[in-house]
Amino acid sequence: MNTFAMKNWEESVVSGTEGAPRIAHAHATFAYSGLIEGEAVIDYLLYYAGEGFDGGGTTSPGLERIEGSVDGRKGSFVIKHDTGFDAQGITSAFTVVEGSGTGELAGITGSGTTTGVLGEPTMSYTLDYAL
């Protein structure tokens, strides 16, 4: 099974106020297992439509640098997320940023998804890639 867990999440409001439409920046670290083995650092620019964890049906961008291995090949690469979220959970579609692969992952291309439920210890992901 392909999963990742949040190790750290730091979030701050950039514009607007708590409980009203606002923009926030989040910086997080994740630990991956499965097809991807390693750790990642991600930065999101989040939009909240109002109170709670509601993205208002929009998607928020994020850039994530993953360091470790994919299917046993070591290196790093960057993915670009478009993430939707509400009180029930999180869904994301992502693509590998062209030219971002290093080491044995140089030249990696691909795309995938993430899904999860708020409050659960892990989320799942898919990755379709080519080298």
Side-chain angles (χ1 to χ4, degrees), residues 57-98:
T58 65
T59 59
S60 294
L63 287 172
E64 178 175 5
R65 183 176 179 273
I66 300 171
E67 188 165 351
S69 65
V70 174
D71 214 12
R73 294 181 176 98
K74 293 182 181 179
S76 67
F77 61 101
V78 175
I79 58 177
K80 181 190 175 298
H81 288 269
D82 287 309
T83 303
F85 57 95
D86 59 25
Q88 285 71 47
I90 300 166
T91 60
S92 171
F94 66 82
T95 56
V96 175
V97 175
E98 187 175 339

